[in-house]
């Protein structure tokens, strides 16, 4: 029995982890691959359409803010409705991604980024809410959440690596090729029925969705959201402008994509460690550590004008806070609240990780006016302010 528990923590015992949980993990892996490909490719896609750094920043912001706004739609859906939402969203994503081959103007590009950002938000928010719903017991669900977080995170490495390897085919063509994954994920979602159905559903007295303001009565949830705000500043700057800034540092686009793959190794390893330690009772030290690494990454990024080594170091550590904050934030959102609050808590946490993308047009504009060096120092200071806020928000007595 003890051996089974140990195996369950690392996700190796297929006889212990439920079939429903594995179906969600497989489908979510394909969905996360598409999101990861989209996020890391917007810079290259923008260059293919002749955009400058400011215009690329706008595109990244439009995609991720649209992703964030999907949270307001997701909070209206009950857990029992998530399968239908997931299937429809995957189908729409599969038919819209290839359109980059046939569109031309900025208006069409930005419009498609907004549409796909919103659809991708629905896809991933649905998966994140369903993750851990294969069981009723809260402690078991927390371990399932960690399993979901780890296995799906493998897409974080695979997506930029394959993108870099296949980049010679053309970035627009890759959007067409990878769209097939959306359709491939649908059968796994459809299979969530019968003995593989989700066990954790809304109670009969389900009262609908919760207000976003009510979520912050839990101090842990506030810590997770602040950590998300802090780490996504250097994280999104790298994803948005890594290819453009890398070229200024004499790095090829393919090299930058390989660096992205290496960056997410730290993310996956961190998620694996969190998985081994779950369930975790005191999450604050982990979240403070995540914000600390984010601040160091911001400083390294600012120092990269001195040496390309600092750029490489910043990239290599920038995703570690994602592995911590995303995994623990998702656990908090999915296990702290009542059944009718889970949709809102999970989707808003997901959207909070995208809010800082709204700064990317400003980053691009400032970089075009005063240069990347000064711009990166400015946003390192902003990250430091979130770091201080996280430290000051101590546990309640």
């Amino acid at each position: 029995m003890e051996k089974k528990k140990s195996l369950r923590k690392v996700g190796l015992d297929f006889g212990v982890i439920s079939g429903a949980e594995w179906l969600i993990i497989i489908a979510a892996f394909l969905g996360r691959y598409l999101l990861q490909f989209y996020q890391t490719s917007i810079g290259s896609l923008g260059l293919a359409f002749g955009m400058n750094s400011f215009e690329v920043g706008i595109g990244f912001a439009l995609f991720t803010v649209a992703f964030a706004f999907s949270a307001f739609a997701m909070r209206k859906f009950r857990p029992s409705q998530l399968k239908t939402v997931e299937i429809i969203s995957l189908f729409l994503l599969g038919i819209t991604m290839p359109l980059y081959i046939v569109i031309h103007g900025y208006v069409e590009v930005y419009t498609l980024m907004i549409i796909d950002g919103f659809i991708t938000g629905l896809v991933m928010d649905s998966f994140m809410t369903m993750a851990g719903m294969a069981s009723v017991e809260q402690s078991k669900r927390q371990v399932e959440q960690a399993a979901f977080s780890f296995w799906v995170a493998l897409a974080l490495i695979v997506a930029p690596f394959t993108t870099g390897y296949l980049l010679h085919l053309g970035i627009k063509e890759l959007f067409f090729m990878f769209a097939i994954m959306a359709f491939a994920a649908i059968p796994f979602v459809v299979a969530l029925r019968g003995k593989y159905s989700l066990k954790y559903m809304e109670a009969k007295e389900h009262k609908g969705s919760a207000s976003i303001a009510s979520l912050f009565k839990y101090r842990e949830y506030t810590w997770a959201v602040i950590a998300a705000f802090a780490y996504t500043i250097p994280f999104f700057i790298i994803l948005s402008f890594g290819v453009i800034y890398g070229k200024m540092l004499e790095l090829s686009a393919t090299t930058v994509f390989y660096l992205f793959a290496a960056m997410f190794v730290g993310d996956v390893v961190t998620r694996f460690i969190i998985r081994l330690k779950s369930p975790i009772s005191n999450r604050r030290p982990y979240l403070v550590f995540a914000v600390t690494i984010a601040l160091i990454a911001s400083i390294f990024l600012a120092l990269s004008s001195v040496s390309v080594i600092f750029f490489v170091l910043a990239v290599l550590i920038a995703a570690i806070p994602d592995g911590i904050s995303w995994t623990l934030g998702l656990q908090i959102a999915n296990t702290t609240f009542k059944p009718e609050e889970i949709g809102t808590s999970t989707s808003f946490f997901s959207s909070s990780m995208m809010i800082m993308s709204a700064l990317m047009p400003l980053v691009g504009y400032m970089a075009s006016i005063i240069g990347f060096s000064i711009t990166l120092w400015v946003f390192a200071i902003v990250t430091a302010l979130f770091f201080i806020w996280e430290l000051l928000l101590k546990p309640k007595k």
Side-chain angles (χ1 to χ4, degrees):
M1 184 66 180
E2 202 62 39
K3 183 181 179 181
K4 281 190 174 184
K5 287 183 178 179
S6 176
L7 286 171
R8 179 175 178 77
K9 278 184 175 284
V10 295
L12 297 177
D13 194 329
F14 287 81
V16 175
I17 292 181
S18 68
E21 185 179 345
W22 278 113
L23 288 172
I24 295 170
I25 287 172
I26 294 170
F29 174 88
L30 296 171
R32 191 63 180 91
Y33 187 107
L34 292 181
L35 173 59
Q36 184 69 0
F37 165 70
Y38 225 125
Q39 282 189 308
T40 55
S41 299
I42 286 177
S44 292
L45 184 64
L47 291 177
F49 282 101
M51 295 181 180
N52 58 32
S53 59
F54 174 56
E55 292 160 344
V56 167
I58 292 175
F60 190 88
L62 290 174
F63 176 84
T64 47
V65 170
F67 185 107
F69 269 98
S70 68
F72 293 94
M74 280 301 303
R75 59 191 289 264
K76 298 298 182 181
F77 297 114
R78 299 178 180 225
S80 55
Q81 298 172 317
L82 294 180
K83 270 185 58 179
T84 303
V85 173
E86 192 68 78
I87 292 168
I88 294 173
S89 300
L90 286 168
F91 177 79
L92 292 175
L93 188 61
I95 63 175
T96 55
M97 282 182 62
L99 295 180
Y100 284 108
I101 291 181
V102 298
I103 62 176
H104 301 286
Y106 284 14
V107 174
E108 292 98 321
V109 174
Y110 286 153
T111 301
L112 189 53
M113 286 180 177
I114 293 171
I115 292 171
D116 280 352
F118 187 81
I119 295 172
T120 308
L122 293 179
V123 168
M124 292 314 301
D125 283 352
S126 297
F127 278 135
M128 286 189 291
T129 305
M130 288 193 292
M133 289 174 61
S135 301
V136 177
E137 299 86 354
Q138 189 183 89
S139 60
K140 193 174 182 181
R141 285 172 51 230
Q142 188 179 146
V143 175
E144 288 170 352
Q145 279 282 338
F148 169 86
S149 177
F150 168 70
W151 288 109
V152 172
L154 295 179
L156 302 178
I157 300 173
V158 178
F161 181 82
T162 53
T163 303
Y165 183 74
L166 298 173
L167 195 58
H168 64 280
L169 299 176
I171 192 65
K172 298 178 186 178
E173 287 72 17
L174 290 185
F175 273 85
F176 180 84
M177 289 172 54
F178 292 154
I180 191 65
M181 293 186 183
F183 296 110
I186 292 175
F188 295 100
V189 181
V190 173
L192 289 167
R193 54 188 302 175
K195 66 177 182 178
Y196 299 117
S197 62
L198 302 175
K199 303 297 187 295
Y200 188 84
M201 287 293 174
E202 67 266 23
K204 291 181 179 178
E205 62 273 14
H206 190 290
K207 299 176 181 178
S209 61
S211 68
I212 291 175
S214 68
L215 303 176
F216 292 94
K217 62 186 177 185
Y218 296 98
R219 184 60 61 95
E220 271 196 321
Y221 191 80
T222 307
W223 293 336
V225 171
I226 293 174
F229 286 168
Y231 92 79
T232 49
I233 294 176
F235 188 62
F236 282 161
I237 289 175
I238 289 171
L239 291 181
S240 300
F241 306 104
V243 173
I244 296 173
Y245 190 46
K247 284 187 175 182
M248 294 174 60
L249 299 175
E250 300 183 351
L251 297 174
S252 68
T254 297
T255 300
V256 173
F257 274 108
Y258 286 155
L259 281 174
F260 285 162
M263 173 173 73
F264 286 104
V265 170
D267 193 324
V268 173
V269 170
T270 306
R271 293 182 192 220
F272 183 69
I273 293 172
I274 297 293
R275 173 159 173 68
L276 290 176
K277 292 182 174 293
S278 294
I280 298 171
S281 57
N282 182 14
R283 301 181 180 100
R284 178 170 166 77
Y286 294 88
L287 294 171
V288 170
F289 177 73
V291 179
T292 303
I293 297 297
L295 179 58
I296 295 172
S298 291
I299 294 172
F300 282 168
L301 201 55
L303 289 170
S304 58
S305 60
V306 177
S307 171
V308 69
I309 297 298
F310 286 110
F311 176 77
V312 174
L313 290 174
V315 172
L316 291 179
I317 67 172
I320 291 175
D322 182 64
I324 298 172
S325 302
W326 194 88
T327 308
L328 293 182
L330 192 57
Q331 284 186 12
I332 293 167
N334 205 282
T335 60
T336 304
F337 299 92
K338 298 175 182 178
E340 61 266 25
E341 296 175 320
I342 289 178
T344 302
S345 62
T346 304
S347 57
F348 182 77
F349 177 73
S350 173
S351 70
S352 72
M353 294 190 294
M354 301 295 181
I355 289 174
M356 288 299 111
S357 69
L359 295 175
M360 294 308 107
L362 179 60
V363 174
Y365 178 74
M366 290 176 63
S368 66
I369 300 298
I370 60 176
F372 269 105
S373 181
I374 297 176
T375 301
L376 293 175
W377 276 115
V378 169
F379 285 94
I381 293 172
V382 176
T383 307
L385 294 177
F386 280 111
F387 171 78
I388 295 170
W389 187 9
E390 185 78 61
L391 291 182
L392 292 177
L393 199 65
K394 296 179 180 179
K396 293 180 179 179
K397 294 183 179 179

